[in-house]
Amino acid sequence: MMELQLDHLVINAKHVLGDYERQFSELGFIVTPPSKHSLGSVNQSIVFKDHYLELVGLGDGRRRDLLESHEGIDGLVFRMSDPEKLVTELERSSLSVQPLQNFSRPVLGGTGKAEFSVIRLVKGQFQEGRIYFCQHHTPQFIWRSDDMRHPNGVTGIKYLYIASHDPAETCLRYNRLGNLTGFGIKIESVSELCNRFGMDNFEVDRFVAITFHCSDINGIEQIVRKNVPLYRKSGNRLWLKAGRDIILEFEA
């Protein structure tokens, strides 16, 4: 079975990319400036040591996958190094893939282009969101030291939470992708998630929450309380609602 490494998670901001940039900046993250993909979308990133969180806006509206997806956490992206081998492994697990896609975006300051290749799974196999694999041809333009020094002390993404109507079945589907390393997918029922986060409800079969790892939960709280009127804290955890139906959790 394949070893899987998180490359990035995607929040589809649709027409309100600026709102998400403001929210994450107020939470003490460094958000990179907007950059337009050759596909027509616009992105901004929150970069960690070996992965990142991507905020994507519709831009010129050409990307059907973004138009047809919901606003919120909608992309789970794994690292890819050998596209041909990957396709063989995925097809061996009875997963259908789309053709290899190449695209790029300019780098701030005009120093070059960030270039990528991706293989996306055919829509419908994972209703929770878009799942694909990304190969970075110019990683030096993504992982820049100044972009990773977040004032809030967050060092990376720890978990992605899925609200499932049938957690056992959902676990079986995700296990077909491979073995995760350095990152976890938490698949829970709506009632379990409501209990964990103190919510009344979650939309089912969706990516609903991201847990970040931080070194100092009290330091996070000092930043959050300046800009977020409603948040909750319990022991080494602090969480809040952001964007449209997204839970952001910080855990020390």
Side-chain angles (χ1 to χ4, degrees), residues 99-131:
L100 182 74
Q101 183 180 46
N102 300 304
F103 63 101
S104 64
R105 63 173 177 80
V107 175
L108 182 66
T111 56
K113 292 192 300 183
E115 299 181 330
F116 317 89
S117 295
V118 299
I119 290 177
R120 306 178 191 273
L121 295 187
V122 171
K123 184 178 178 180
Q125 298 172 97
F126 292 86
Q127 62 266 45
E128 297 82 13
R130 299 176 300 125
I131 295 181

Side-chain angles (χ1 to χ4, degrees), residues 202-221:
F202 282 96
E203 188 170 346
V204 75
D205 297 331
R206 286 275 298 273
F207 301 144
V208 296
I210 298 171
T211 300
F212 298 98
H213 181 268
C214 65
S215 56
D216 180 8
I217 202 68
N218 294 319
I220 289 286
E221 185 175 21

Side-chain angles (χ1 to χ4, degrees), residues 8-66:
H8 63 284
L9 296 181
V10 182
I11 292 179
N12 185 355
K14 298 227 169 194
H15 297 288
V16 290
L17 181 60
D19 291 347
Y20 281 90
E21 176 189 12
R22 175 184 53 78
Q23 289 180 340
F24 278 95
S25 295
E26 289 177 347
L27 292 173
F29 290 101
I30 292 175
V31 184
T32 63
S35 181
K36 187 173 182 179
H37 292 130
S38 55
L39 301 176
S41 49
V42 176
N43 93 318
Q44 298 182 255
S45 300
I46 297 166
V47 185
F48 305 108
K49 182 179 178 180
D50 57 6
H51 59 274
Y52 57 99
L53 176 64
E54 182 179 29
L55 311 177
V56 176
L58 286 173
D60 62 18
R62 283 188 285 136
R63 286 189 61 177
R64 290 184 60 85
D65 58 332
L66 296 180

